[in-house]
Amino acid sequence: MAVDQNTDAVPAKAALWRRPAFRATVFQILLVLGLVAFGYYLFQNTLHNLQLRGISTGFGFLSYEAGFGILQSLIEFDETHTYGRTFLVGLLNTLLIAGLGIFFATIIGFVMGVARLSKNWLIAKIATVYIETFRNIPLLLQIMFWYFAILQPLPGPRQSLSFNDSVFLNNRGFYLPGPVFGEGFNIVFAAIVIAIVAVIFLARWARKRQEDTGQQFHTVYASLAILFGLPLIVFFIMGSPLSWEYPALKGFNFKGGIVVIPELIALLVALSIYTGAFIAEAVRSGILAVSHGQTEAAYALGIRPGVTLRMVIIPQALRVIIPQLTSQYLNLTKNSSLATAVGYPDLVAVFAGTTLNQTGQAVEVIAMTMGVYLTISLTISMFMNWYNKRKQLVER
Amino acid sequence: MSIHTPHPDLPPPVTSVGAIGWLRNNLFSSPLNTAFTLFALYLLYETVPPLIDWAFISANWSGDTREVCDANPSGACWAFVRVRFDQFMYGFYPESEYWRINLAIGLLVALMVPLFIQKFTRKGLLAAFILIAYPIIALQLFAGGNFGLESVETSKWGGLTLTLILSAVGIVASLPLGIVLALGRRSNMPIVKSVSVVFIEFWRGVPLITVLFMASVMLPLFLPEGTHFDKLLRAMIGIALFQSAYMAEVVRGGLQAIPKGQYEAAEALGLSYWKSMGLIILPQALKMVIPGIVNTFIALFKDTTLVLIIGLFDLLAMIQTAFNDTNWLGFSIEGYVFAALIFWVFCFSMSRYSQALERKLHTGHAR
């Protein structure tokens, strides 16, 4: 057996290419070079192709006149406005549907999630059927169902379904009475803001007093009284500066009031029902994640059921629910881009649709659209990370 | 002295056992619960009987023209679905070639069956065959052009077949890419790690519809002049890239759940990175995330409907097209209900399968 003479000396270093650090460096350099070369290749091709088609690059097109109208706009818009403004209109419409969708989906989700855990067999089964049905049908199908199968075949304005002669539903949309703010309403609005600030200070004071003296204060009732009382009193002092404008049939269509276009209704109903089913599952898993021992321990300490729910169960369940809830909100926002299938003028339909087709600026338009969604989702995931850090279980 | 003889046990009160007891416990345990039950019963009474009447009792099942349905407008017109059934399943594929699709799908089912048989031991080999050899066979069958089969352009592919093809390609292409990305995200090399993170977060941050738009509008710009790219292939690339980011996050969850001791033990045995990953870590991690992968697949399956927006004819698009048939106007509800039923059956059975797997695989990994 040959004995290596060098065994007790310092072991020889491995060959350069066998050292992990060296390999890692080489590999990463190769990766960067490859990516840069690939990017350069794509860039050159794109430039060449754009030149070939006579499309100029850059964001100059944003200041050109758009020349098309948009079905629904939260800000003033007509044909003479710029392409840049179409971006803004689309973005606002996306935020509108996302906000409304999140509001309704949360309500549906929490009700259904709790109902699925109900001790009432019938209620629990109905909630289960709802969740399992709508979770397993593609969202796009649901949106199209509501739009093409339910809302489109509705009667026209003259035969519209009406409720109490103030709310109308027909194939042009949903007509609601709209508020008309009279003179002095801004003072009422100021009262609402003051009430909110007052409630925040009241809650802080009550908590501090409880920590210092142990005395409790009826924060909830007092807050409700301030929140509703103060604005109402101011409202009547100012002489009720609010009236309602009712929609009325004039010619071929309704005039006045608030119009909710059918595209928005279909999208909103489908998004809320679909996301609501997912939120219900998140809520259920959150509540189930709190072990039964927690409830029993709280009862053993003599804490009343309502307080147990509020102070023991819900805070622990929220730890599980909130991250899932945020990711559902994010999904809802991204899914709202399916609006383009029914023609609701959201960011994708207006900007990545009409504007892109008219200008041909594919690269810029798609980059801007993706940028918006990326910004939203990165902001939300940053919030999530912050929340998770804050709420992490601190164990011994 | 009299011996004490206890009375025989009385039966429990009739109100606490049997049907009555069940009703009392589950439906009428408190006034509030009773109110809920009555409300739910009313709701069911209002919705379920008319629905059953519409879908089954008064429904029109037979007939080849709309006259049958017009004669009986209170019921569903399933004749519409029946007449169009072949198109919903096969799209615009030539009718004489349907057997090729049937054969490909039958072959897949036949190959998959042994995977669910406990006693079958060569599962790995079979899975490799399904993942590598089967797609080539299926492509030959679908596209044709060789072996005397008539060539069928991808623009004629459609219906449920296209939905299945898209989701199968999506899952098969995204799994390896997702594994690589997940490993990259867990890597010690800073550049590899950041490239993976940027890639994953980018695709996860944008809606699939913009990805499909990008694939159909921008991909032709990126490639050298004159390269012709099939529309279906472009959609597949978009879906695979999009899905791989989600897959990467699922696999990463599995990698993180493996105890650190496993990594250290592999290293202590002197295994190289790829060996320790391939032999020790990934087999455990992937097994653990099979339910997650199935869930991703369900999401992918539902998402394939989006291709109708870029002009491919999947099941939903075929149904949408059928509404424009002037002979059959006004049966959109039937069409959507039929499509929903198909999607529901697929998704629901997969989610049940995933839940069953989760219970089966729950062998003490969770900490």
Side-chain angles (χ1 to χ4, degrees), chain A residues 18, chain B residues 262-277 279-280:
Chain A
R18 286 194 179 279
Chain B
Q262 298 285 325
Y263 289 89
E264 290 165 351
E267 224 164 273
L269 286 174
L271 295 181
S272 72
Y273 176 79
W274 290 110
K275 273 191 180 158
S276 68
M277 284 301 152
L279 297 173
I280 312 282

mmCIF file of all heavy atoms in Angstrom, chain A residues 18, chain B residues 262-277 279-280:
data_model
loop_
_atom_site.group_PDB
_atom_site.id
_atom_site.type_symbol
_atom_site.label_atom_id
_atom_site.label_comp_id
_atom_site.label_asym_id
_atom_site.label_seq_id
_atom_site.Cartn_x
_atom_site.Cartn_y
_atom_site.Cartn_z
ATOM 1 N N ARG A 18 -11.838 22.987 -8.862
ATOM 2 C CA ARG A 18 -12.622 22.175 -7.936
ATOM 3 C C ARG A 18 -13.057 22.958 -6.707
ATOM 4 O O ARG A 18 -13.775 22.443 -5.859
ATOM 5 C CB ARG A 18 -11.801 20.960 -7.492
ATOM 6 C CG ARG A 18 -11.691 19.915 -8.578
ATOM 7 C CD ARG A 18 -11.190 18.619 -7.993
ATOM 8 N NE ARG A 18 -11.099 17.591 -9.013
ATOM 9 C CZ ARG A 18 -12.144 16.893 -9.432
ATOM 10 N NH1 ARG A 18 -13.320 17.112 -8.897
ATOM 11 N NH2 ARG A 18 -11.992 15.982 -10.368
ATOM 12 N N GLN B 262 -30.949 17.180 6.903
ATOM 13 C CA GLN B 262 -30.871 16.441 5.650
ATOM 14 C C GLN B 262 -29.812 17.042 4.736
ATOM 15 O O GLN B 262 -29.035 16.328 4.095
ATOM 16 C CB GLN B 262 -32.233 16.443 4.949
ATOM 17 C CG GLN B 262 -33.326 15.765 5.725
ATOM 18 C CD GLN B 262 -33.181 14.253 5.691
ATOM 19 O OE1 GLN B 262 -32.750 13.684 4.705
ATOM 20 N NE2 GLN B 262 -33.513 13.614 6.798
ATOM 21 N N TYR B 263 -29.794 18.386 4.651
ATOM 22 C CA TYR B 263 -28.787 19.056 3.829
ATOM 23 C C TYR B 263 -27.401 18.743 4.366
ATOM 24 O O TYR B 263 -26.471 18.420 3.631
ATOM 25 C CB TYR B 263 -29.002 20.570 3.857
ATOM 26 C CG TYR B 263 -30.220 21.050 3.107
ATOM 27 C CD1 TYR B 263 -31.452 21.151 3.732
ATOM 28 C CD2 TYR B 263 -30.121 21.424 1.767
ATOM 29 C CE1 TYR B 263 -32.562 21.605 3.054
ATOM 30 C CE2 TYR B 263 -31.222 21.884 1.072
ATOM 31 C CZ TYR B 263 -32.441 21.966 1.731
ATOM 32 O OH TYR B 263 -33.534 22.413 1.050
ATOM 33 N N GLU B 264 -27.283 18.849 5.700
ATOM 34 C CA GLU B 264 -25.962 18.652 6.326
ATOM 35 C C GLU B 264 -25.486 17.218 6.170
ATOM 36 O O GLU B 264 -24.314 16.964 5.899
ATOM 37 C CB GLU B 264 -26.029 19.042 7.805
ATOM 38 C CG GLU B 264 -26.192 20.538 8.000
ATOM 39 C CD GLU B 264 -26.616 20.908 9.407
ATOM 40 O OE1 GLU B 264 -26.955 20.001 10.200
ATOM 41 O OE2 GLU B 264 -26.616 22.110 9.701
ATOM 42 N N ALA B 265 -26.437 16.267 6.306
ATOM 43 C CA ALA B 265 -26.064 14.861 6.167
ATOM 44 C C ALA B 265 -25.571 14.586 4.752
ATOM 45 O O ALA B 265 -24.571 13.891 4.545
ATOM 46 C CB ALA B 265 -27.255 13.968 6.494
ATOM 47 N N ALA B 266 -26.273 15.146 3.751
ATOM 48 C CA ALA B 266 -25.863 14.952 2.367
ATOM 49 C C ALA B 266 -24.461 15.506 2.149
ATOM 50 O O ALA B 266 -23.612 14.893 1.496
ATOM 51 C CB ALA B 266 -26.855 15.632 1.426
ATOM 52 N N GLU B 267 -24.216 16.681 2.756
ATOM 53 C CA GLU B 267 -22.902 17.291 2.602
ATOM 54 C C GLU B 267 -21.835 16.453 3.295
ATOM 55 O O GLU B 267 -20.733 16.256 2.776
ATOM 56 C CB GLU B 267 -22.933 18.694 3.215
ATOM 57 C CG GLU B 267 -22.247 19.746 2.368
ATOM 58 C CD GLU B 267 -22.664 21.125 2.828
ATOM 59 O OE1 GLU B 267 -23.701 21.634 2.343
ATOM 60 O OE2 GLU B 267 -21.970 21.671 3.696
ATOM 61 N N ALA B 268 -22.196 15.942 4.481
ATOM 62 C CA ALA B 268 -21.231 15.152 5.241
ATOM 63 C C ALA B 268 -20.851 13.880 4.503
ATOM 64 O O ALA B 268 -19.743 13.366 4.649
ATOM 65 C CB ALA B 268 -21.814 14.803 6.613
ATOM 66 N N LEU B 269 -21.773 13.353 3.693
ATOM 67 C CA LEU B 269 -21.472 12.155 2.911
ATOM 68 C C LEU B 269 -20.590 12.493 1.720
ATOM 69 O O LEU B 269 -20.192 11.601 0.972
ATOM 70 C CB LEU B 269 -22.771 11.509 2.415
ATOM 71 C CG LEU B 269 -23.589 10.785 3.466
ATOM 72 C CD1 LEU B 269 -24.906 10.339 2.879
ATOM 73 C CD2 LEU B 269 -22.815 9.594 4.010
ATOM 74 N N GLY B 270 -20.312 13.769 1.513
ATOM 75 C CA GLY B 270 -19.450 14.168 0.412
ATOM 76 C C GLY B 270 -20.164 14.230 -0.921
ATOM 77 O O GLY B 270 -19.530 14.225 -1.969
ATOM 78 N N LEU B 271 -21.506 14.295 -0.888
ATOM 79 C CA LEU B 271 -22.242 14.382 -2.160
ATOM 80 C C LEU B 271 -22.091 15.777 -2.741
ATOM 81 O O LEU B 271 -22.066 16.769 -2.005
ATOM 82 C CB LEU B 271 -23.721 14.078 -1.932
ATOM 83 C CG LEU B 271 -24.063 12.666 -1.471
ATOM 84 C CD1 LEU B 271 -25.553 12.518 -1.310
ATOM 85 C CD2 LEU B 271 -23.538 11.649 -2.462
ATOM 86 N N SER B 272 -21.980 15.831 -4.051
ATOM 87 C CA SER B 272 -21.912 17.134 -4.698
ATOM 88 C C SER B 272 -23.274 17.793 -4.609
ATOM 89 O O SER B 272 -24.271 17.163 -4.238
ATOM 90 C CB SER B 272 -21.506 16.973 -6.154
ATOM 91 O OG SER B 272 -22.582 16.423 -6.861
ATOM 92 N N TYR B 273 -23.332 19.080 -5.013
ATOM 93 C CA TYR B 273 -24.590 19.817 -4.917
ATOM 94 C C TYR B 273 -25.695 19.107 -5.662
ATOM 95 O O TYR B 273 -26.776 18.849 -5.123
ATOM 96 C CB TYR B 273 -24.399 21.226 -5.467
ATOM 97 C CG TYR B 273 -25.669 22.023 -5.503
ATOM 98 C CD1 TYR B 273 -26.163 22.617 -4.359
ATOM 99 C CD2 TYR B 273 -26.387 22.170 -6.688
ATOM 100 C CE1 TYR B 273 -27.337 23.333 -4.387
ATOM 101 C CE2 TYR B 273 -27.557 22.891 -6.730
ATOM 102 C CZ TYR B 273 -28.024 23.472 -5.574
ATOM 103 O OH TYR B 273 -29.195 24.174 -5.603
ATOM 104 N N TRP B 274 -25.424 18.769 -6.946
ATOM 105 C CA TRP B 274 -26.487 18.178 -7.762
ATOM 106 C C TRP B 274 -26.882 16.804 -7.243
ATOM 107 O O TRP B 274 -28.050 16.429 -7.275
ATOM 108 C CB TRP B 274 -26.073 18.097 -9.222
ATOM 109 C CG TRP B 274 -26.012 19.460 -9.822
ATOM 110 C CD1 TRP B 274 -24.897 20.141 -10.207
ATOM 111 C CD2 TRP B 274 -27.118 20.340 -10.062
ATOM 112 N NE1 TRP B 274 -25.243 21.375 -10.666
ATOM 113 C CE2 TRP B 274 -26.600 21.532 -10.588
ATOM 114 C CE3 TRP B 274 -28.506 20.222 -9.859
ATOM 115 C CZ2 TRP B 274 -27.403 22.603 -10.932
ATOM 116 C CZ3 TRP B 274 -29.310 21.298 -10.205
ATOM 117 C CH2 TRP B 274 -28.759 22.478 -10.738
ATOM 118 N N LYS B 275 -25.888 16.034 -6.748
ATOM 119 C CA LYS B 275 -26.223 14.716 -6.208
ATOM 120 C C LYS B 275 -27.061 14.847 -4.946
ATOM 121 O O LYS B 275 -28.034 14.117 -4.753
ATOM 122 C CB LYS B 275 -24.950 13.930 -5.915
ATOM 123 C CG LYS B 275 -24.474 13.174 -7.134
ATOM 124 C CD LYS B 275 -23.393 12.207 -6.762
ATOM 125 C CE LYS B 275 -22.921 11.457 -7.987
ATOM 126 N NZ LYS B 275 -21.578 10.907 -7.799
ATOM 127 N N SER B 276 -26.662 15.778 -4.061
ATOM 128 C CA SER B 276 -27.428 15.878 -2.819
ATOM 129 C C SER B 276 -28.835 16.379 -3.109
ATOM 130 O O SER B 276 -29.806 15.941 -2.484
ATOM 131 C CB SER B 276 -26.719 16.780 -1.808
ATOM 132 O OG SER B 276 -26.721 18.103 -2.251
ATOM 133 N N MET B 277 -28.964 17.274 -4.072
ATOM 134 C CA MET B 277 -30.305 17.746 -4.426
ATOM 135 C C MET B 277 -31.109 16.611 -5.084
ATOM 136 O O MET B 277 -32.243 16.341 -4.710
ATOM 137 C CB MET B 277 -30.212 18.922 -5.410
ATOM 138 C CG MET B 277 -29.814 20.218 -4.775
ATOM 139 S SD MET B 277 -30.985 20.690 -3.499
ATOM 140 C CE MET B 277 -29.926 21.623 -2.434
ATOM 141 N N LEU B 279 -30.664 13.336 -5.154
ATOM 142 C CA LEU B 279 -30.874 12.053 -4.473
ATOM 143 C C LEU B 279 -31.497 12.202 -3.090
ATOM 144 O O LEU B 279 -32.177 11.300 -2.620
ATOM 145 C CB LEU B 279 -29.537 11.312 -4.344
ATOM 146 C CG LEU B 279 -28.883 10.920 -5.676
ATOM 147 C CD1 LEU B 279 -27.505 10.353 -5.441
ATOM 148 C CD2 LEU B 279 -29.747 9.925 -6.410
ATOM 149 N N ILE B 280 -31.211 13.313 -2.433
ATOM 150 C CA ILE B 280 -31.673 13.449 -1.042
ATOM 151 C C ILE B 280 -32.807 14.459 -0.912
ATOM 152 O O ILE B 280 -33.882 14.135 -0.400
ATOM 153 C CB ILE B 280 -30.516 13.910 -0.114
ATOM 154 C CG1 ILE B 280 -29.276 13.087 -0.352
ATOM 155 C CG2 ILE B 280 -30.961 13.907 1.338
ATOM 156 C CD1 ILE B 280 -29.277 11.733 0.267
#
